Amino acid sequence: MNGELLWQPTPERAAKTAMADFRRFIGERTGQVFGETPELHRWSVDKPDAFWSAIWDYFGVIGHKGATILADGARMPGARFFPEARLNFAENLLARRGQDGEDALVFIAEDKAADRWSWSKLVSEMSRLQQAFAASGIGPGDRVAAYLPNMPIAIAAMLAATSLGAVWCSASPDFGPRGVLDRFGQIEPKVLITVDAYWYAGKKNPLGDRLAEIVAALPSVGQVVVADLCGDAAKVAESLPNGATLEAYTAPFKAGQPTFERLPFDHPVYILFSSGTTGVPKCIVHRAGGVLLQHLKEHALHADLRAGDRLFYFTTLGWMMWNWLASGLATGATLLLYDGSPFHPGPAVLFDYAEKERMTHFGTSAKYIDAVKKAGLTPCMTHDLSSLRAMMSTGSPLVAESFDFVYRSIASDLHLASISGGTDIVSCFVLGDPTRPVRRGEIQGPGLGLSVEVWTEDAKKAPTGEKGELVCTKPFTAMPLQFWNDPGDVKYKSAYFERFEGVWCHGDFAELTESGGFIIHGRSDATLNPGGVRIGTAEIYAQVEKIPDIMECIAIGQDFDGDVRVVLFVRMREGAAFTPEIEKRIRQEVRSGASPRHVPARIVQVADIPRTRSGKIVELAVRDIVHGRPVRNQEALANPEALELFRDLPELAS
């Protein structure tokens, strides 16, 4: 049953967390007593200037804070945090680095490559890249673009770029030329850092031909730097205009102590890109100070990440979780990097990694957890996961059955944190709390400093248990600075503030629970409206994916006979047949577990389901194909060919 208590920390464990320590810190500053995180949260949104000032001080942010903490605090957008501050993002990420010989980065590329960087090596490589970037004319505001796997040089290059005040942007090497150009072409980078090839599912994927097409279409790029992963960097670099291997590019420079350009709080640090499945990707510009404070808060307080911990997140450089992972350095944690298929060379590869490297924090997606469950793995029986304290899941809602699976088959004494936010804020609106209980099917609560609520369509606070729009009613530091090339912030305001004036509307269909937690029912623009009643797609998926023979599913609303009917597409497990009995069971599960209104009018088997490169299924693209509408920017999809499986289906004609 949803809401059932699955785990809670012992009083001793809770008392040792940074969240508990921060409550004590605030109590001493204010003279107030905060017994639980919800009390602290209420204070944090009522006193945003005092809260964010305390975050700065508690974490000892390096830089000049200034006297003003919040200016124009009633404006949203328009509020300005720390308008007098000066800081450097990279300097703060390296502020708590470990001893020279200790691991900073550990890397595996499937079973094909591995590397291990100490803190001293990370700083040395970063300093050489910093000097090389400066020699290439890189300075504050210039863009450095990465087309890289999740490997150590990506972290070093990001630190080098941001230490100079440059703006970092990245894409994963599984993006094709069109996807890269749709992103980097808008922002005109000066330097492109890339790799010769990458591994996926045991297959080597050369990048030479793609890079030739990409570089030819990016006239702003004056330097292409090719790192070596598969032994072909020299050959690839020679074939590209302004190309050089990483070794040749940094060879003239000796490793030393890096320098750091301190810049305003609102200075751009990252450009992240929307998925681009409904048009050319939006280029979302994030401010250095806002990202830094938000990530320090999330890592240390909400995830209880500490110096010496070992943080893993399964991600690529095309997903915001890479940026989130990189900030783990600021706590003094070691980053465990992985690139490739999470099921190669075997289905337990990530748990092998967790055991070998004594992983403390395991970050992944809800889809991965479901796939592990359906693969029949029981890691708690096959692996020593005694070092693991926390598991985080995002990308899509974590269904209640996956909560059960984690505690039954991965670890029984574990802080399981379902988290939700997005590229728009490069962080989370709702996430974990290591001092409070984990309840089945629920996200534990809102992030400190974020005034998160659920609203009805008429802009009123939704009663507990009623579904509505996830909103943030007050300014926060991680709001994007702007969209790139958006005069007057027209697109920016339309994206977040068109629905409710002066209130951030995030686009999630959500529910506040009795315990103060949240349930995300899917994206608002993908909600179904049979008979005018809004239904979240995640409510259907949670029931259907209980059936072992179904690998995954996707639901849309089809315009039909003057109304909207629910259509469900299912992908069967290999070797399993879609039978009348399976169809009957689907309807029974949905009816009993959700409601009669959720029961699909049509259920259709498909061989594949289209998804973005970060693994999210794309209901809107499928809906457009079913209705005969064009799907723009199919390059944003990992498997665009799957869309054709949904075109002109006879099962949907009547």
Side-chain angles (χ1 to χ4, degrees):
M1 180 163 178
N2 277 10
E4 176 188 351
L5 179 64
L6 297 180
W7 176 88
Q8 66 182 90
T10 63
E12 295 77 18
R13 176 168 173 170
K16 292 177 181 177
T17 63
M19 180 70 85
D21 188 62
F22 184 70
R23 284 206 303 265
R24 292 188 288 268
F25 174 81
I26 296 299
E28 291 170 2
R29 277 175 80 121
T30 64
Q32 297 176 242
V33 177
F34 298 99
E36 293 283 346
T37 306
E39 297 173 31
L40 179 62
H41 178 264
R42 282 192 292 274
W43 175 84
S44 74
V45 297
D46 288 343
K47 306 285 186 183
D49 49 350
F51 170 73
W52 291 109
S53 178
I55 288 287
W56 181 297
D57 294 344
Y58 182 78
F59 289 108
V61 170
I62 299 172
H64 172 67
K65 181 179 175 183
T68 304
I69 305 303
L70 177 59
D72 299 318
R75 295 179 59 196
M76 189 173 183
R80 293 174 299 135
F81 288 91
F82 301 94
E84 301 154 10
R86 308 282 293 190
L87 56 82
N88 183 272
F89 186 75
E91 183 177 18
N92 279 280
L93 260 57
L94 292 172
R96 291 175 182 78
R97 59 181 178 267
Q99 298 298 312
D100 285 351
E102 294 175 346
D103 290 339
L105 308 174
V106 179
F107 169 61
I108 296 177
E110 295 188 350
D111 58 341
K112 307 299 182 183
D115 206 354
R116 190 178 297 270
W117 285 21
S118 66
W119 285 98
S120 57
K121 181 172 182 179
L122 172 60
V123 173
S124 295
E125 294 299 322
M126 176 249 180
S127 75
R128 296 174 70 212
L129 270 168
Q130 181 192 65
Q131 295 170 69
F133 284 160
S136 294
I138 295 297
D142 291 327
R143 276 78 62 206
V144 173
Y147 184 45
L148 285 170
N150 183 19
M151 58 193 293
I153 198 63
I155 300 289
M158 180 276 288
L159 292 169
T162 57
S163 71
L164 296 168
V167 187
W168 175 263
C169 49
S170 61
S172 171
D174 59 349
F175 279 56
R178 186 71 263 149
V180 175
L181 294 172
D182 282 347
R183 288 158 175 78
F184 296 167
Q186 296 186 67
I187 61 171
E188 300 178 303
K190 277 190 176 181
V191 171
L192 174 66
I193 183 164
T194 185
V195 73
D196 54 345
Y198 68 98
W199 295 99
Y200 194 86
K203 179 185 175 185
K204 178 180 172 182
N205 296 272
L207 290 179
D209 291 344
R210 290 193 213 172
L211 284 166
E213 184 178 343
I214 290 166
V215 173
L218 287 176
S220 64
V221 172
Q223 180 70 60
V224 183
V225 183
V226 184
D228 201 321
L229 182 59
C230 299
D232 299 323
K235 178 182 174 183
V236 172
E238 288 171 5
S239 71
L240 299 171
N242 305 315
T245 64
L246 174 65
E247 286 185 356
Y249 184 58
T250 59
F253 308 101
K254 291 183 178 180
Q257 287 303 311
T259 59
F260 300 98
E261 181 83 14
R262 292 188 184 171
L263 296 155
F265 188 87
D266 283 352
H267 184 77
V269 66
Y270 289 143
I271 296 175
L272 271 64
F273 305 97
S274 66
S275 61
T277 53
T278 56
V280 176
K282 297 188 291 287
C283 305
I284 306 170
V285 184
H286 289 285
R287 61 192 94 207
V291 174
L292 175 66
L293 293 190
Q294 180 79 337
H295 285 183
L296 282 169
K297 178 199 74 176
E298 292 189 345
H299 284 131
L301 304 186
H302 289 279
D304 199 35
L305 187 67
R306 311 165 191 169
D309 280 345
R310 300 173 81 80
L311 171 65
F312 168 80
Y313 220 104
F314 180 71
T315 182
T316 71
L317 269 73
W319 190 22
M320 58 142 287
M321 292 312 300
W322 182 85
N323 306 77
W324 192 91
L325 170 66
S327 290
L329 293 172
T331 64
T334 299
L335 305 187
L336 304 181
L337 312 178
Y338 181 87
D339 196 77
S341 167
F343 290 97
H344 186 88
V349 62
L350 296 187
F351 293 102
D352 296 342
Y353 194 18
E355 178 181 60
K356 180 182 178 184
E357 294 299 332
R358 308 300 294 162
M359 189 183 292
T360 61
H361 291 67
F362 190 133
T364 186
S365 67
K367 287 294 180 187
Y368 172 78
I369 293 172
D370 185 61
V372 168
K373 179 178 70 172
K374 289 183 174 174
L377 300 186
T378 53
C380 67
M381 303 291 289
T382 55
H383 293 74
D384 177 4
L385 301 177
S386 56
S387 61
L388 199 60
R389 298 202 319 270
M391 191 166 196
M392 296 157 289
S393 169
T394 192
S396 59
L398 186 66
V399 299
E401 288 72 24
S402 289
F403 279 75
D404 298 337
F405 172 75
V406 168
Y407 283 111
R408 181 180 66 247
S409 299
I410 296 178
S412 59
D413 186 15
L414 179 80
H415 177 212
L416 175 59
S418 178
I419 64 179
S420 182
T423 301
D424 315 81
I425 63 169
V426 66
S427 58
C428 307
F429 276 120
V430 289
L431 69 171
D433 179 351
T435 68
R436 302 191 70 228
V438 173
R439 297 185 180 276
R440 187 174 189 263
E442 296 185 10
I443 298 173
Q444 285 176 283
L448 293 176
L450 299 175
S451 182
V452 181
E453 297 178 359
V454 176
W455 278 21
T456 62
E457 295 202 38
D458 56 355
K460 294 179 181 176
K461 215 169 171 180
T464 299
E466 183 175 311
K467 304 177 187 71
E469 296 289 339
L470 187 78
V471 301
C472 192
T473 64
K474 295 181 180 180
F476 54 99
T477 61
M479 290 172 62
L481 179 65
Q482 63 190 88
F483 288 174
W484 192 261
N485 194 23
D486 180 22
D489 290 332
V490 174
K491 294 177 183 177
Y492 175 65
K493 292 173 182 175
S494 174
Y496 309 117
F497 299 100
E498 194 169 70
R499 182 71 179 275
F500 304 118
E501 186 175 352
V503 169
W504 177 290
C505 185
H506 194 54
D508 278 344
F509 194 46
E511 171 189 348
L512 180 65
T513 70
E514 291 284 352
S515 66
F518 287 83
I519 299 173
I520 305 294
H521 293 284
R523 293 293 295 170
S524 296
D525 53 11
T527 55
L528 313 172
N529 292 277
V533 177
R534 295 183 79 192
I535 291 173
T537 53
E539 299 169 77
I540 295 175
Y541 303 155
Q543 306 309 317
V544 177
E545 291 177 1
K546 292 178 183 177
I547 303 171
D549 282 346
I550 295 177
M551 279 297 294
E552 58 182 346
C553 60
I554 188 169
I556 66 161
Q558 181 194 14
D559 298 335
F560 189 80
D561 199 22
D563 196 359
V564 175
R565 67 179 181 182
V566 179
V567 177
L568 179 73
F569 301 96
V570 296
R571 176 184 163 220
M572 303 302 293
R573 179 177 53 80
E574 187 174 352
F578 181 66
T579 63
E581 289 73 26
I582 287 286
E583 183 170 0
K584 182 179 179 181
R585 184 176 173 189
I586 291 171
R587 297 184 188 281
Q588 289 172 339
E589 292 283 1
V590 173
R591 181 179 297 274
S592 61
S595 81
R597 286 189 178 275
H598 290 74
V599 176
R602 293 286 184 273
I603 304 175
V604 182
Q605 181 185 8
V606 289
D608 199 7
I609 290 175
R611 61 188 63 255
T612 67
R613 295 185 181 275
S614 60
K616 298 178 183 179
I617 59 175
V618 285
E619 290 113 331
L620 299 187
V622 170
R623 190 171 71 190
D624 283 342
I625 285 288
V626 165
H627 288 97
R629 298 189 288 261
V631 176
R632 293 180 291 174
N633 199 20
Q634 294 188 28
E635 185 67 34
L637 301 179
N639 55 340
E641 67 282 354
L643 285 173
E644 290 305 310
L645 302 172
F646 299 82
R647 191 185 300 277
D648 299 327
L649 292 174
E651 296 96 327
L652 303 186
S654 61

